[in-house]
Amino acid sequence: KINKTVLITPNEGLSNQHLEEFQASNIEAEIFSKDSKGLFESNNIEIIEITKLGEENGDKTVAVDSFEENNLVFIDEGHRGAKGDIWKVNRDKLSANGFAFEYSATFAQAINSSTGKKKKELENEYTKAILFDYSYKYFYNDGYGKDYSILNLSEDSEDVKQTYLTASLLSFYQQMKIYESSKSMLKPYLIEKPLMVFVGSSVIKSKSSITNADKEVATDVIQILLFINEFIKNRNESIANIEKIMSLDSGLNKKDGSDIFANKFSFLETNRLEAWAIFDDILNIIFNGSSGRLHIENLKGVDGEIALRVGENEYFGVINVGDSDKLTKLCDANGLRIASRDFSSSLFKTINETTSKLNILIGSKKFSEGWSSWRVSTMGLMNVGKKEGSQIIQLFGRGVRLKGYDFCLKRSRAIAGRELERKYQAVETLNIFGLKADYMRAFKEYLKDEGVPTDERVEFVLPLIYDKSYKTKKLKVLDLQEGKDFKREVKLDLEHSDIRAINKKVVLSLYKQVDVL
């Protein structure tokens, strides 16, 4: 006999997300509260965070023994606590004489990060209890989710950072431009309005006061704000950077010396807009205004939210952090324009609304779980370390979600007869721009373990014609340009040269190299 049905989550954000999903599916559920009678009388599913289960009752915890041991337990993000800490002990008690169903995208990573005897115990426990294994390799190869493009600039040098971040903004602008100009065509594919997410590693820690160290060292979030401010304020420099990127002279190269943005902006190239026109359009489409200064407004009455606007235009972005008061003080110390405004409801929670004008979300790695959106299309990662690999995989999972044609969850390239024209496929691609984010190695190892190819894909566009004799079979063949005779017209002279006699300069490229995946 089952006593209770309990859903365990890692945080309040996920608890509220599950509650909304239960309500949408007409399943009776409630957030657990010690003050309610639900523990003893209700048949509702009880949703509780793992942090609120303890050995004894406390101000913010409930004794795990209160639930008895014969429960049906669902454990979201099951990898949390898999290393064998008290969390796992407590959740195991709930189902000692019942049944536990755990799910996670990163069980393997959590178990592999354990060592010695504990790792062996976890392997023995989990490998014989896998009901369904559908790892990313299968998900991707079956055509599900967005495609992806990952870049990482390992050196945080000021001379190229502004260009690199401008390129991330330009990439997002291309997605927005496709979405805004092709709504009727994209409607059957259920493409959501694109959203750019900046994620930093360091955020403001709660302190009684702002220290000198805080003032001297801008956090990742402030660096992002400084970039946006510089982009909007310095029109001529921003236009020059856009011109460099579009003309493949960005100074940011792959290991083979080619510009990293080759073939990245095919839709924008077909529009043939001048760099100044692109800049003006970015202000309108992304920043909701044609001119003005960046304003940073601390929303009083809403916990941990800061709104962004240009001039007096509608908000274009929101920052979701732990301590908004201290962050705004640091913004002020870094020369950014700040203000406070009374606000009654969460701006962050309106992002998924169809009428939302919010285009940019900024915060910490808290977005890796407890938040869900179909909109995420471009990510900027700041100073995210390789030790945080599993969190990056979770964050990656937020971005590759795709409704797809007729809600089949697949990208159009994987649907016979429904493939979008190539220049439109940017809206089905997650673009990740890492800045001094040493996660690339961990991410490559993860994909390699999954069996997903990690070598960069090089695409060659070959002209194809129909030869008359093959038309009936519809076989595409390669041919020379009409009227050309290669053997007669092209002469190849091979001759030996003494390298010491060649009067040429040796060129050393000091262009910044970018890791590409």
Side-chain angles (χ1 to χ4, degrees):
K1 179 177 169 55
I2 293 296
N3 176 42
K4 298 290 295 181
T5 302
V6 183
L7 170 64
I8 298 176
T9 72
N11 55 55
E12 290 184 7
L14 262 179
S15 292
N16 291 323
Q17 183 181 324
H18 275 292
L19 183 62
E20 292 173 5
E21 296 290 346
F22 281 133
Q23 290 170 346
S25 300
N26 294 318
I27 297 175
E28 294 184 353
E30 62 184 357
I31 303 293
F32 173 78
S33 170
K34 288 195 298 181
D35 299 327
S36 73
K37 297 179 180 180
L39 181 61
F40 306 102
E41 298 178 4
S42 173
N43 289 320
N44 290 355
I45 295 174
E46 301 286 345
I47 308 171
I48 187 171
E49 293 85 64
I50 188 68
T51 52
K52 292 180 181 177
L53 288 175
E55 293 183 4
E56 299 178 356
N57 287 318
D59 292 338
K60 296 182 178 180
T61 59
V62 59
V64 69
D65 292 337
S66 302
F67 289 86
E68 299 183 9
E69 296 182 341
N70 55 326
N71 301 291
L72 173 60
V73 183
F74 294 91
I75 303 168
D76 192 12
E77 303 296 354
H79 64 278
R80 297 285 292 268
K83 293 181 181 179
D85 53 28
I86 191 63
W87 288 0
K88 189 172 187 306
V89 173
N90 285 337
R91 75 190 196 196
D92 285 349
K93 282 184 179 180
L94 293 178
S95 58
N97 294 310
F99 187 83
F101 184 96
E102 304 183 28
Y103 42 102
S104 168
T106 50
F107 270 127
Q109 287 72 32
I111 292 173
N112 287 335
S113 63
S114 302
T115 57
K117 182 181 178 182
K118 178 53 62 179
K119 180 178 180 180
K120 194 66 179 176
E121 289 176 356
L122 289 170
E123 285 178 346
N124 288 336
E125 177 180 351
Y126 280 93
T127 54
K128 65 183 180 183
I130 297 171
L131 177 67
F132 186 62
D133 179 10
Y134 195 70
S135 62
Y136 184 69
K137 171 179 66 176
Y138 304 112
F139 176 86
Y140 180 81
N141 290 337
D142 285 348
Y144 290 106
K146 296 174 185 172
D147 218 327
Y148 59 88
S149 170
I150 305 175
L151 304 177
N152 183 42
L153 182 65
S154 56
E155 298 178 39
D156 186 12
S157 51
E158 292 299 325
D159 58 330
V160 296
K161 184 167 71 174
Q162 196 73 10
T163 303
Y164 183 71
L165 290 176
T166 298
S168 71
L169 201 60
L170 197 59
S171 177
F172 175 58
Y173 164 70
Q174 177 174 248
Q175 293 173 325
M176 287 282 283
K177 193 70 173 173
I178 294 172
Y179 174 80
E180 294 291 346
S181 64
S182 314
K183 285 185 178 179
S184 58
M185 183 192 70
L186 295 175
K187 189 175 181 179
Y189 296 87
L190 305 179
I191 300 294
E192 296 284 338
K193 183 181 179 182
L195 177 70
M196 187 171 199
V197 179
F198 280 107
V199 181
S201 178
S202 59
V203 292
I204 305 299
K205 294 181 173 63
S206 295
K207 298 174 183 176
S208 58
S209 61
I210 300 294
T211 65
N212 289 331
D214 287 330
K215 293 178 181 178
E216 293 173 2
V217 182
T219 65
D220 297 331
V221 171
I222 290 177
Q223 287 204 39
I224 295 164
L225 293 175
L226 289 172
F227 155 68
I228 293 174
N229 186 54
E230 290 296 312
F231 179 87
I232 296 170
K233 184 174 68 175
N234 298 331
R235 174 185 172 87
N236 291 337
E237 181 184 339
S238 297
I239 291 174
N241 281 332
I242 292 171
E243 176 65 36
K244 285 195 301 183
I245 294 164
M246 292 300 296
S247 60
L248 302 183
D249 188 29
S250 66
L252 297 164
N253 292 57
K254 305 175 188 176
K255 291 179 181 179
D256 64 3
S258 62
D259 194 279
I260 62 171
F261 302 116
N263 303 317
K264 291 288 186 183
F265 299 109
S266 56
F267 181 83
L268 295 183
E269 289 168 0
T270 61
N271 286 2
R272 302 184 183 280
L273 290 177
E274 298 287 341
W276 63 266
I278 291 176
F279 175 80
D280 290 344
D281 207 23
I282 286 175
L283 291 186
N284 280 309
I285 290 182
I286 296 179
F287 298 113
N288 298 333
S290 57
S291 62
R293 294 280 301 276
L294 174 64
H295 291 261
I296 299 168
E297 298 182 359
N298 192 3
L299 302 182
K300 296 296 184 179
V302 184
D303 187 32
E305 289 189 23
I306 299 172
L308 306 174
R309 71 162 87 224
V310 172
E312 294 301 314
N313 299 294
E314 289 188 77
Y315 293 128
F316 71 84
V318 62
I319 306 171
N320 193 280
V321 292
D323 197 322
S324 56
D325 290 337
K326 290 181 173 60
L327 179 59
T328 48
K329 287 180 182 178
L330 280 181
C331 288
D332 186 37
N334 280 274
L336 295 167
R337 184 172 293 190
I338 66 167
S340 294
R341 174 170 296 204
D342 292 329
F343 217 74
S344 59
S345 58
S346 169
L347 195 62
F348 171 70
K349 290 182 180 179
T350 67
I351 281 178
N352 289 332
E353 295 177 4
T354 54
T355 57
S356 175
K357 298 287 285 185
L358 295 173
N359 301 318
I360 296 178
L361 172 61
I362 302 173
S364 64
K365 295 187 297 298
K366 66 183 292 185
F367 299 135
S368 63
E369 56 188 27
W371 177 67
S372 179
S373 177
W374 297 100
R375 291 185 58 190
V376 180
S377 60
T378 297
M379 284 185 186
L381 301 180
M382 310 280 285
N383 297 314
V384 180
K386 60 185 177 184
K387 291 183 179 178
E388 296 152 318
S390 61
Q391 287 177 310
I392 293 302
I393 294 163
Q394 292 279 336
L395 197 61
F396 179 77
R398 304 288 85 83
V400 295
R401 295 177 180 184
L402 183 70
K403 289 183 180 178
Y405 185 84
D406 200 24
F407 225 130
C408 69
L409 306 177
K410 292 186 176 184
R411 51 193 176 275
S412 66
R413 286 199 301 121
I415 311 171
R418 297 294 181 183
E419 183 174 0
L420 284 171
E421 190 178 340
R422 183 165 186 78
K423 66 180 181 179
Y424 296 109
Q425 291 178 13
V427 291
E428 296 184 307
T429 302
L430 171 65
N431 292 314
I432 298 180
F433 290 80
L435 187 61
K436 206 176 180 181
D438 190 19
Y439 63 88
M440 186 70 91
R441 183 179 300 175
F443 200 88
K444 277 188 173 181
E445 289 173 356
Y446 163 72
L447 292 179
K448 188 176 180 180
D449 289 342
E450 287 284 292
V452 179
T454 57
D455 295 328
E456 184 190 351
R457 289 172 293 182
V458 180
E459 297 186 358
F460 299 91
V461 180
L462 300 175
L464 299 172
I465 64 168
Y466 280 117
D467 184 276
K468 292 181 180 178
S469 61
Y470 292 102
K471 268 192 174 181
T472 56
K473 298 180 180 179
K474 297 183 179 181
L475 176 63
K476 294 181 179 182
V477 296
L478 297 173
D479 202 355
L480 292 174
Q481 187 176 342
E482 190 174 349
K484 295 289 184 182
D485 188 330
F486 183 86
K487 290 183 179 179
R488 292 184 179 181
E489 295 180 20
V490 181
K491 183 181 180 183
L492 297 177
D493 292 326
L494 304 179
E495 60 183 34
H496 174 266
S497 295
D498 187 341
I499 194 168
R500 291 170 298 180
I502 296 177
N503 187 23
K504 288 185 178 179
K505 292 182 180 179
V506 175
V507 178
L508 173 62
S509 171
L510 295 179
Y511 279 149
K512 301 296 179 184
Q513 286 188 1
V514 180
D515 292 325
V516 180
L517 181 55

